[in-house]
Amino acid sequence: AMSWHQNWPRQWRSPDPKPEYDVVIIGAGGHGLATAYYLAKEHGITNVAVIEKGWLGGGNTGRNTTIVRSNYLWDESGLFYENAMKLWENLSQELNYNVMFSQRGVLNLAHNLGDVRESIRRVNANNLNGIDAEWLNAEQVKEFCPIINISKDSRYPVMGATLQRRGGTARHDAVAWGYARGADDMGVDVIQNCEVQGMMIENGTVKGVRTSLGDIKAKKVAMACAGHTSVVADMAGIRLPIESHPLQALVSEPMKPVIDCVVMSNAVHVYVSQSDKGELVMGAGIDAYVGYSQRGSLHVIEDQLASAMELFPLFSRTRMMRSWGGIVDTCPDASPIVGKTPVKNLYVNAGWGTGGFKATPGAGWCYAHTIAKDEPHDLNAPFSIDRFITGALVDEHGAAGVAH
Ligand code: FAD
């Protein structure tokens, strides 16, 4: 700081691409970078490039509302997200990078009897899987989050909530930067401003990628490109059951601390936390149409703010500062796809939709295992593409229904 920020060391290199790598990862979001980090750290595979068409962390990783929790319903997802949660709990130490993981507690509100039944069922399922989860009645919700409106006169009164005390938020950029620096330290090339424009495939086996900086050969290629997964998979002739939708978020002007937990509501559809800078960070649902525009429609923001007013009348005179959008890759069962593809040595990590930030360390860890061993880890085996053929879907619309 004394040197006017002029002599700080670079956190990672900006290398030119080599002609060939053992593994090329497409997409330098949190998932791609975490995968590269664990490939190097856990499997000793360091001849790896992460290819990014824009700037590192500039996709959904840098655009999300940073909510982290593991209270999903089914065993498959519960165990997967809980593994991620355990990695989060040690991530700042692991990366020697402060990712500002704050376990401030996440409330998922229930506003009708259907919500109440589903929520209590989920608390029980979570507890059976060793995941911390509690059911709070409306008064207990008010005690935990005093500014919330639990009036019975509101359109959808708060009837209770699930609480995961270990859930919370993390600093999204820091997650991408920490993984990038860690991977770079171990020899991984992070190549920005390089777009993958085609795949080299011979006899059903991927041999490399065609990029805006030329062809790069690779023994294995791994997609981690979120909203653009369908576009990239199409380059390999693969059609995935994924739709891409805009998802927006916004922040208010900074203010003194008023809310020290995360509140999510599916029925009225808004989720709120307060950043360390004091801004209220608010998310909503996806825009209904498909698209790649990284912006959304005004009516979604209007609904989102109306919902926020209903739950937090205190915010009524708060000014909103900026809004933005990302492109989320949604699967029909609201669960991700992490595994092999019909093309040999080509792998896919996608379908995280509105909720993949929380999975970042766990997804990277499992994806690295899958790529290194050419077979899924037990934790991501249920999330293969095959489930759309066998019908063994992992329906998480209840837990993931509220976009987050
Ligand atoms: P990204 O960070 O999007 O990275 C993919 C990268 O691939 C991008 O950088 C892109 O430029 C690159 N790419 C694409 N195509 C190519 C190509 N052809 N060549 C080279 N590079 C390419 N999740 C939560 O858990 N909690 C939340 O609170 C939450 N809130 C959200 C709020 C919003 C507004 C949005 C948009 C998302 C939210 N999510 C949340 C979801 C979460 O952000 C994503 O699931 C997660 O960040 C996906 O990470 P990723 O690394 O896979 O994708």
Side-chain angles (χ1 to χ4, degrees):
M2 299 298 284
S3 60
W4 298 96
H5 300 286
Q6 280 170 1
N7 299 315
W8 289 45
R10 290 181 80 108
Q11 298 205 66
W12 48 81
R13 298 161 298 127
S14 291
D16 292 329
K18 291 192 257 180
E20 184 165 4
Y21 290 93
D22 290 339
V23 179
V24 161
I25 296 169
I26 309 172
H31 284 229
L33 294 164
T35 305
Y37 176 87
Y38 293 116
L39 270 174
K41 167 102 191 297
E42 304 285 336
H43 305 282
I45 302 173
T46 56
N47 186 24
V48 175
V50 187
I51 311 268
E52 169 55 51
K53 70 173 177 179
W55 69 95
L56 182 164
N60 292 347
T61 297
R63 293 163 188 267
N64 76 88
T65 47
T66 77
I67 300 170
V68 175
R69 59 190 177 87
S70 60
N71 54 355
Y72 282 68
L73 175 67
W74 298 106
D75 294 353
E76 293 87 341
S77 340
L79 297 175
F80 187 93
Y81 286 102
E82 182 57 17
N83 182 55
M85 177 68 89
K86 295 208 168 97
L87 292 168
W88 275 113
E89 286 173 330
N90 193 41
L91 196 59
S92 291
Q93 288 81 354
E94 165 79 28
L95 299 176
N96 187 25
Y97 208 106
N98 187 1
V99 299
M100 297 164 79
F101 183 45
S102 160
Q103 293 178 294
R104 58 185 69 181
V106 175
L107 287 171
N108 284 89
L109 303 180
H111 297 269
N112 54 53
L113 278 178
D115 276 358
V116 171
R117 287 193 197 107
E118 195 277 330
S119 303
I120 294 175
R121 178 186 180 201
R122 194 138 55 84
V123 164
N124 292 332
N126 290 161
N127 288 339
L128 285 172
N129 276 326
I131 299 166
D132 73 303
E134 294 162 49
W135 169 251
L136 306 186
N137 63 30
E139 287 67 35
Q140 290 168 319
V141 170
K142 180 89 181 159
E143 213 171 295
F144 191 75
C145 181
I147 63 168
I148 206 162
N149 172 23
I150 60 162
S151 161
K152 296 211 168 21
D153 296 335
S154 52
R155 189 173 52 140
Y156 295 110
V158 173
M159 296 178 72
T162 64
L163 169 63
Q164 184 173 27
R165 290 183 195 270
R166 287 162 64 241
T169 58
R171 175 69 202 265
H172 46 14
D173 298 320
V175 175
W177 299 338
Y179 275 123
R181 189 184 68 173
D184 177 88
D185 278 350
M186 291 183 281
V188 170
D189 286 354
V190 181
I191 300 161
Q192 303 183 70
N193 298 311
C194 177
E195 183 176 12
V196 170
Q197 298 170 331
M199 300 256 187
M200 297 186 263
I201 295 172
E202 286 170 23
N203 302 322
T205 304
V206 73
K207 299 286 178 186
V209 289
R210 302 197 187 286
T211 80
S212 51
L213 298 181
D215 290 357
I216 303 173
K217 288 191 199 154
K219 296 193 179 71
K220 297 182 175 184
V221 175
M223 296 181 271
C225 19
H228 280 88
T229 304
S230 309
V231 178
V232 175
D234 188 51
M235 296 172 192
I238 298 170
R239 192 153 178 247
L240 293 168
I242 287 180
E243 280 187 0
S244 293
H245 291 261
L247 176 65
Q248 305 178 68
L250 53 83
V251 288
S252 73
E253 60 189 340
M255 58 173 86
K256 286 187 178 175
V258 284
I259 176 166
D260 64 357
C261 60
V262 180
V263 177
M264 307 176 67
S265 166
N266 196 348
V268 302
H269 224 142
V270 68
Y271 37 106
V272 182
S273 65
Q274 191 168 16
S275 76
D276 293 345
K277 285 186 281 185
E279 299 159 357
L280 297 171
V281 181
M282 295 193 202
I286 55 174
D287 276 62
Y289 60 88
V290 291
Y292 294 101
S293 65
Q294 284 194 329
R295 56 188 292 190
S297 312
L298 187 63
H299 75 272
V300 174
I301 303 184
E302 281 185 319
D303 284 354
Q304 169 189 5
L305 290 176
S307 307
M309 281 321 83
E310 205 169 318
L311 287 173
F312 305 101
L314 179 82
F315 296 163
S316 65
R317 279 179 295 159
T318 307
R319 278 170 299 198
M320 293 302 136
M321 199 160 63
R322 57 176 193 278
S323 71
W324 63 89
I327 310 160
V328 295
D329 40 333
T330 59
C331 266
D333 59 353
S335 285
I337 302 172
V338 186
K340 297 168 72 162
T341 73
V343 175
K344 196 165 165 28
N345 297 337
L346 177 66
Y347 306 86
V348 60
N349 169 7
W352 293 99
T354 60
F357 177 68
K358 66 178 71 61
T360 304
W365 192 88
C366 286
Y367 199 30
H369 175 104
T370 307
I371 298 162
K373 312 270 183 214
D374 196 33
E375 62 181 26
H377 188 273
D378 284 350
L379 284 170
N380 64 306
F383 300 104
S384 73
I385 306 181
D386 291 350
R387 74 178 189 274
F388 296 98
I389 296 163
T390 63
L393 303 182
V394 188
D395 183 350
E396 285 292 355
H397 280 102
V402 57
H404 43 87

